[in-house]
Amino acid sequence: AADSPEIYISPLSYAVAPFTIDRSKRRLEVTLQVPEIARPGKSLEIGYRTSRPGRIAIFAVDEGILQVANYQTPQPLDHFLRKRALEVTTRQMLDLILPEYELIRELSASGGGMRMMEAVADALGKNLNPFARKVQQPAAFWSRIVDTGPEQRSVSFEVPESFSGQLRVMAVAVSEEAMGTAQQQTLVRGPFVISPNMLTVAAPGDEFIVTVGVANLVAGSGEQATITLSAEPGEQLQIIGEATTQLLIAEGSEGKAEFRVKALDQPGGAAVIFKAAMGKEESRITATLSVRPAVPYMASFDSGYEEDGDKAVSLPRRLYPQLAQQKASASGSPLVLVDGLNNYLENFPHGCTEQVVSQVFPVIGLMQHPGFANEAGQTHEKVAALIRKLRPRQLPDGGFALWPGGRSSAGFPSVYVMHFLTEARELGYAVPAEMYHRGLEYLRRVAGNGVSELEAARVRGAAIYLLTRNGEVTTNDLVHLQEGLEQQHKKVWRKDLVAVYMAAVYQLLKKEADAGALVDGYRPGQLEQEHYSDFHSPLTQDAQYVYLLASHFPERLKALKGEGIRELVKPVFGGHYNTIGSAYTILALGAYSRAVLGPVANEAITIVQTDAQGRESPLSLLRHPFTTATPAVEAAGVAFGAAEAIFYQVSQAGFDQQLPRQAVAEGLEVQRSYLDGEGNEVTSLRQGQEVTVRLRIRSVGEKYTSNVAVIDLLPGGFEVIRSSVPRDASHWQSDYVDIREDRVVFYGGFGANVTELRYRARLTAAGEFVVPPAYAEAMYNRSIHGRSTAGRFSVSNAE
């Protein structure tokens, strides 16, 4: 002690005495019992017991997986009884006594640690094949934590039928005062090893050869062992010819057989069960593939306004029942069009920054409408998933790249993202603070830019508007923008959407007179459809106008009569909509309906479906929030009946049953051919060879077409050589390239000169395959598209 009378002993002195721990008292003896040899596809019985009562977890894992991971059997006593240095740990809990709620909410939006289910709809929206095949399961088993003790107990593990090799069986057990581990080895080996070589994707109508190797491991079977090999196809496949064959395979040797398989007109995950048998010995294995249509998934809808309330609408597309969606809705409220537009957005197959935001942005706006309030839980999940997508796309300047991996911020899409984040934040959704504040920095830079074209001025006006909503004083930016517009666009700017954004800013700044003078200059429907650009179509601009009226000029919104709303949605009736236009239209219709129309009352509307012979049959109706019915896939049309004027929409989404037989060149032309090693066009090659895929794309006419998606679906048995897929060609540079298992998608712009894109594919299976058409489409102008013709390709056996 410091006051000790022993003055010759330092109060800071210390001594160290080593000590050891007797592990025998802490060691729990674990015993495992497994057979030396196990069979694939059979149950493996694992016996276990411990010297004292406790809890135990048992694992059985493929030794190959453990070797790759360099995994060692756990030794818990080595961990808990290891030599430790003296340590000091400091903790405090002041921040946890009364945490700031806003901080917690922002941190919860960081984009990590949340679980998201990849549904089929999500796969369709990512250029993925939704007809997933079942993949072979790895040999990995966990018993969960179970009771143990001195008495013998057991657990069982169903060994995958495709697995042959060494299994390591491990156990970790713990009692109140001790713990222990054990491990054993078992060899999984069947009488035969069956090795089918089957392609992964086929189209209805494809015929292909599956080669099956068989190894004979039956002890004592001799030199002339007769083995029966059979193939049992699932409902999507058919065996052409004999489904059973006899093989003479000596003990320890291998043989092979071939089966010709046809993919039927029934898409889905398909399988063939191969069985090898000799006497009482039998082995089996299941080989899987995906049967998917030779066309991409497409969503379309027809809509309109009928004054007398009676309208017959045809269903022009004949769809496969698998994943088909058909819906018919009608109402006196224009909000019914939201159904079709939402369906179009949800099934849109591409994913630039604007497009992924447009799939979620209108949904949060609809949450304020009573008819959609029950979807609030799903909306929170969608917002969180979207923020996870946006985080890696945000660049150091605070803007957002148009595509994943982009190096420059996209002007309008970045401002559009910030519009979404501003709305989401105000509605109480969790938005990451760091992402948000960096985005505001980007808006400040855009707000300070000069004025050249009116499109750039609209983007600048939107940036100033969003900064004002976030509490910043933007008077100087607003004045500078107006001065620039007066100098360069004096005669037209007051009739443009930029004036409406400026009016909204003046309204937020409490300068109502200036706001009123500007907002009245814009008239919906004043832009012709030819006045078109990717992010600034007439529909997009008119929808933003209505949306801004609803947010800041509610009295003027009420003065917008039914004719004005019909003028807004007229492009939708004509099919002139895209993702950004659809999103803003949904937001505009939701705001208009909420402010002017109110909740939709029960309406006396009938919907019946008609077949190919014109016979009508009634449909079950759902009347919340609108009168809605689901026509059958085989229906040829629907008919609406009402006593008053109605807005109606009929949507179809799915895979078309019929392959297109003629090429299409509506503003874009696409041609696809296959070349051999000498550069000759071919329609047949041998299995194992490589083929060069040549795509030729051009814009028909002199106009350059931007934001084009070129979708090249591959025939069955074609495997893309990923390293050969180009990102640029001659003077052409891609915006993004998406390589999938069964397709390659190029994104970019194309002019009147032909752009030639080449990549290579390997032919992995022999047979006769359907060649899907290649597609090219302008993502922001649905009237501009092109398509090549379908065909056939023959792959002969390598031998």
Side-chain angles (χ1 to χ4, degrees):
D3 59 350
S4 172
E6 306 295 337
I7 61 174
Y8 297 108
I9 298 178
S10 168
L12 302 180
S13 297
Y14 63 89
V16 176
F19 65 94
T20 59
I21 298 175
D22 183 4
R23 289 196 173 198
S24 62
K25 295 181 180 180
R26 304 292 179 184
R27 185 176 293 114
L28 183 64
E29 298 298 334
V30 182
T31 303
L32 290 173
Q33 291 182 346
V34 294
E36 292 184 3
I37 297 179
R39 287 287 187 93
K42 302 296 183 181
S43 180
L44 171 64
E45 197 80 10
I46 304 173
Y48 66 92
R49 60 186 175 85
T50 54
S51 56
R52 285 179 264 182
R55 303 278 281 169
I56 191 171
I58 300 169
F59 307 83
V61 185
D62 175 6
E63 190 67 58
I65 296 175
L66 300 178
Q67 288 178 0
V68 171
N70 195 26
Y71 184 82
Q72 304 298 321
T73 302
Q75 299 296 332
L77 285 179
D78 290 347
H79 170 77
F80 289 108
L81 301 183
R82 70 185 185 274
K83 292 183 178 181
R84 300 282 296 274
L86 292 176
E87 295 177 352
V88 176
T89 302
T90 302
R91 293 190 176 99
Q92 57 91 18
M93 57 179 293
L94 182 62
D95 292 343
L96 301 179
I97 295 175
L98 189 61
E100 180 62 39
Y101 173 73
E102 183 66 21
L103 179 61
I104 291 178
R105 192 171 66 86
E106 290 176 349
L107 289 176
S108 70
S110 60
M114 297 186 68
R115 185 167 58 92
M116 181 176 62
M117 300 298 293
E118 291 290 341
V120 168
D122 200 23
L124 293 170
K126 292 182 177 179
N127 282 313
L128 297 174
N129 174 13
F131 299 107
R133 67 185 188 278
K134 290 184 178 180
V135 297
Q136 300 292 354
Q137 294 298 317
F141 166 73
W142 175 45
S143 68
R144 300 185 181 275
I145 300 174
V146 296
D147 291 328
T148 184
E151 67 279 6
Q152 184 76 11
R153 306 185 190 193
S154 66
V155 293
S156 61
F157 165 42
E158 195 72 24
V159 180
E161 63 180 21
S162 60
F163 176 72
S164 292
Q166 200 79 22
L167 271 181
R168 188 195 302 181
V169 181
M170 299 170 283
V172 180
V174 61
S175 66
E176 290 186 2
E177 297 180 348
M179 57 187 66
T181 64
Q183 75 172 50
Q184 293 287 343
Q185 302 283 345
T186 184
L187 177 64
V188 178
R189 186 181 68 185
F192 310 101
V193 177
I194 309 173
S195 306
N197 181 21
M198 188 154 71
L199 73 174
T200 57
V201 178
D206 284 354
E207 292 186 16
F208 51 92
I209 294 173
V210 179
T211 303
V212 184
V214 179
N216 180 9
L217 303 180
V218 179
S221 57
E223 295 293 325
Q224 295 292 318
T226 301
I227 298 171
T228 302
L229 180 65
S230 62
E232 298 178 7
E235 59 182 358
Q236 287 85 12
L237 303 172
Q238 176 186 353
I239 302 296
I240 307 296
E242 294 296 328
T244 303
T245 186
Q246 304 288 328
L247 299 174
L248 292 177
I249 306 175
E251 179 184 346
S253 298
E254 297 182 5
K256 69 175 182 178
E258 291 182 349
F259 296 92
R260 192 170 187 88
V261 183
K262 181 178 181 179
L264 302 179
D265 203 19
Q266 189 170 343
V272 179
I273 300 174
F274 296 99
K275 294 181 180 178
M278 183 179 63
K280 296 182 179 180
E281 300 289 355
E282 180 182 288
S283 292
R284 57 180 283 168
I285 192 169
T286 303
T288 61
L289 77 156
S290 169
V291 178
R292 64 111 173 94
V295 292
Y297 190 92
M298 295 179 62
S300 59
F301 76 98
D302 188 6
S303 60
Y305 176 77
E306 190 61 41
E307 289 190 358
D308 63 11
D310 295 327
K311 179 67 178 180
V313 183
S314 65
L315 294 169
R317 299 170 60 196
R318 301 277 74 81
L319 304 178
Y320 281 104
Q322 295 82 2
L323 302 182
Q325 300 177 47
Q326 298 195 143
K327 186 181 290 187
S329 306
S331 174
S333 167
L335 192 61
V336 71
L337 301 178
V338 164
D339 237 7
L341 292 171
N342 250 337
N343 186 62
Y344 164 72
L345 289 172
E346 288 178 359
N347 294 293
F348 194 75
H350 312 297
C352 81
T353 296
E354 175 275 316
Q355 290 155 3
V356 297
V357 172
S358 291
Q359 290 176 321
V360 180
F361 192 0
V363 180
I364 66 170
L366 288 176
M367 287 304 97
Q368 301 176 72
H369 195 283
F372 298 89
N374 60 342
E375 299 179 11
Q378 297 179 10
T379 304
H380 278 277
E381 293 178 5
K382 290 180 179 179
V383 171
L386 174 57
I387 287 175
R388 288 197 294 274
K389 291 180 182 178
L390 292 175
R391 180 172 289 280
R393 302 188 190 202
Q394 190 171 32
L395 301 179
D397 65 354
F400 295 82
L402 185 61
W403 291 99
R407 298 182 179 179
S408 60
S409 295
F412 175 84
S414 296
V415 175
Y416 183 55
V417 171
M418 289 307 299
H419 193 175
F420 159 71
L421 293 178
T422 298
E423 293 283 353
R425 198 166 182 257
E426 290 181 358
L427 291 172
Y429 294 92
V431 175
E434 179 257 348
M435 173 190 283
Y436 193 73
H437 293 309
R438 286 170 60 197
L440 291 178
E441 285 294 331
Y442 180 82
L443 291 180
R444 295 184 189 104
R445 279 190 289 274
V446 173
N449 290 340
V451 173
S452 53
E453 301 295 327
L454 270 176
E455 284 191 11
R458 288 181 210 130
V459 176
R460 185 182 176 190
I464 295 172
Y465 164 73
L466 293 174
L467 288 172
T468 308
R469 282 186 59 175
N470 280 278
E472 298 194 13
V473 179
T474 55
T475 307
N476 290 340
D477 292 327
L478 190 61
V479 170
H480 292 160
L481 174 60
Q482 188 162 340
E483 289 175 350
L485 289 169
E486 282 291 332
Q487 292 174 5
Q488 300 186 43
H489 305 283
K490 184 174 183 178
K491 295 182 179 180
V492 297
W493 76 268
R494 291 179 181 272
K495 299 178 181 180
D496 193 86
L497 182 66
V498 65
V500 184
Y501 271 109
M502 294 170 65
V505 175
Y506 279 124
Q507 190 77 357
L508 289 170
L509 296 175
K510 304 302 181 182
K511 297 183 178 181
E512 287 82 0
D514 293 332
L518 284 179
V519 74
D520 291 334
Y522 188 91
R523 289 290 182 271
Q526 65 183 351
L527 297 173
E528 298 295 330
Q529 196 56 41
E530 287 73 23
H531 184 73
Y532 207 105
S533 64
D534 289 346
F535 301 123
H536 301 272
S537 70
L539 175 65
T540 305
Q541 295 187 58
D542 288 350
Q544 288 178 79
Y545 167 72
V546 174
Y547 183 60
L548 290 170
L549 285 189
S551 300
H552 306 288
F553 304 95
E555 295 304 319
R556 284 177 168 81
L557 179 69
K558 293 177 182 178
L560 192 65
K561 303 299 182 183
E563 186 63 34
I565 291 298
R566 288 196 292 275
E567 197 67 38
L568 164 67
V569 297
K570 186 185 292 184
V572 178
F573 298 158
H576 302 294
Y577 54 88
N578 53 30
T579 49
I580 182 68
S582 298
Y584 270 126
T585 300
I586 293 172
L587 288 168
L589 291 177
Y592 176 79
S593 299
R594 189 169 61 251
V596 177
L597 301 178
V600 178
N602 288 333
E603 299 172 298
I605 299 174
T606 61
I607 306 176
V608 297
Q609 71 178 21
T610 56
D611 60 17
Q613 288 72 41
R615 294 172 298 200
E616 294 186 347
S617 55
L619 292 171
S620 299
L621 301 180
L622 178 67
R623 298 191 181 274
H624 181 77
F626 311 107
T627 303
T628 302
T630 304
V633 175
E634 60 273 11
V638 295
F640 298 95
E644 299 178 349
I646 58 169
F647 292 89
Y648 65 87
Q649 71 87 25
V650 178
S651 63
Q652 291 184 283
F655 293 94
D656 290 280
Q657 293 187 15
Q658 297 297 323
L659 280 175
R661 298 300 178 187
Q662 295 182 343
V664 173
E666 297 288 343
L668 282 170
E669 184 179 52
V670 57
Q671 297 177 352
R672 194 258 319 283
S673 55
Y674 299 112
L675 311 177
D676 62 14
E678 284 73 41
N680 303 312
E681 290 192 21
V682 293
T683 57
S684 63
L685 281 174
R686 290 198 315 275
Q687 182 182 2
Q689 288 186 304
E690 291 183 4
V691 64
T692 298
V693 183
R694 181 178 67 188
L695 294 166
R696 288 175 170 171
I697 309 103
R698 71 182 181 96
S699 177
V700 178
E702 298 299 323
K703 188 177 179 181
Y704 177 84
T705 305
S706 59
N707 287 307
V708 173
V710 180
I711 308 164
D712 186 24
L713 283 168
L714 296 168
F718 279 47
E719 182 181 279
V720 179
I721 301 174
R722 301 179 69 91
S723 60
S724 70
V725 179
R727 267 61 181 175
D728 51 47
S730 185
H731 300 292
W732 181 82
Q733 178 72 42
S734 68
D735 295 333
Y736 186 63
V737 177
D738 195 4
I739 306 172
R740 297 294 179 179
E741 182 180 68
D742 64 339
R743 72 197 70 190
V744 179
V745 187
F746 297 92
Y747 298 95
F750 297 91
N753 295 327
V754 174
T755 298
E756 185 171 292
L757 304 175
R758 295 189 179 201
Y759 66 91
R760 301 193 311 279
R762 185 176 294 106
L763 308 181
T764 61
E768 299 287 330
F769 300 99
V770 175
V771 175
Y775 295 80
E777 58 184 11
M779 293 185 289
Y780 291 98
N781 190 339
R782 298 176 67 252
S783 64
I784 299 176
H785 58 275
R787 183 184 68 215
S788 70
T789 56
R792 304 282 300 183
F793 198 96
S794 299
V795 181
S796 59
N797 201 299
E799 298 179 357

